[in-house]
Amino acid sequence: MILTGMIFQYNEEEGLGLLMLSDAKQKEFSQKEWIDAGNEPAVGQKIAYISKADTFEVRVATQDDIKKSLLKQEEQTAEEHLEHFTSLGFKLVKDTTINNVRTLTLRSFANFESEEVIITQKDNSVSVLQSINGKLINE
């Protein structure tokens, strides 16, 4: 899965930085995750965050990355959302189907915060609600 975002902190000496992603999450990264040989990381740079099973890569975002990221978020299935959130460390705690409405509940406990994601699928329509410490946030 590819998300777009921006570098909003970066320490050149240590090779460590902080990303703000299009899903409103912040992620730390290091020089080892930076795969763009033609560019160096810099504060304010638009980036593509490429999430894999248990690793990720970061590079400068292209216009295609930005377009695909926006379209992909609108077209994702419940399974794709499930894969995305489990790759971020969320655990599936409930998967129910009642009256053809599938509801998946995922939770994560880290950094003294409790996060919950509820993915609801009815026919081809999928919605995602995310909360931190009981307060809804934008997905």
Side-chain angles (χ1 to χ4, degrees):
M1 165 178 272
I2 295 180
L3 295 172
T4 55
M6 183 179 76
I7 298 173
F8 72 97
Q9 288 180 2
Y10 186 69
N11 182 318
E12 289 181 35
E13 292 175 13
E14 295 178 9
L16 299 173
L18 197 56
L19 307 170
M20 174 59 78
L21 301 177
S22 57
D23 67 355
K25 296 223 181 258
Q26 295 179 14
K27 293 289 180 186
E28 293 180 354
F29 78 101
S30 69
Q31 189 65 37
K32 71 178 182 173
E33 286 99 15
W34 187 260
I35 61 165
D36 193 332
N39 297 290
E40 290 295 319
V43 172
Q45 203 166 40
K46 290 183 182 179
I47 56 91
Y49 176 92
I50 302 123
S51 174
K52 299 186 177 190
D54 55 348
T55 63
F56 67 92
E57 300 172 337
V58 183
R59 63 174 164 74
V60 171
T62 65
Q63 290 293 20
D64 283 342
D65 290 330
I66 294 167
K67 281 183 190 175
K68 287 177 186 175
S69 178
L70 293 173
L71 292 174
K72 185 114 172 114
Q73 287 177 4
E74 293 172 6
E75 299 171 355
Q76 285 182 322
T77 65
E79 291 301 321
E80 289 171 320
H81 281 292
L82 176 62
E83 180 183 331
H84 169 70
F85 285 105
T86 54
S87 75
L88 295 175
F90 283 81
K91 304 291 182 209
L92 179 64
V93 295
K94 190 191 256 183
D95 185 350
T96 60
T97 303
I98 300 171
N99 296 329
N100 292 325
V101 177
R102 183 179 181 198
T103 305
L104 298 107
T105 304
L106 298 96
R107 293 197 178 114
S108 172
F109 301 97
N111 300 325
F112 304 105
E113 292 184 329
S114 168
E115 293 186 63
E116 182 174 76
V117 174
I118 299 174
I119 303 167
T120 306
Q121 178 177 9
K122 182 176 181 180
D123 301 322
N124 290 330
S125 176
V126 177
S127 66
V128 178
L129 293 175
Q130 187 173 358
S131 62
I132 297 178
N133 296 330
K135 295 181 180 179
L136 284 178
I137 62 170
N138 293 334
E139 211 303 91

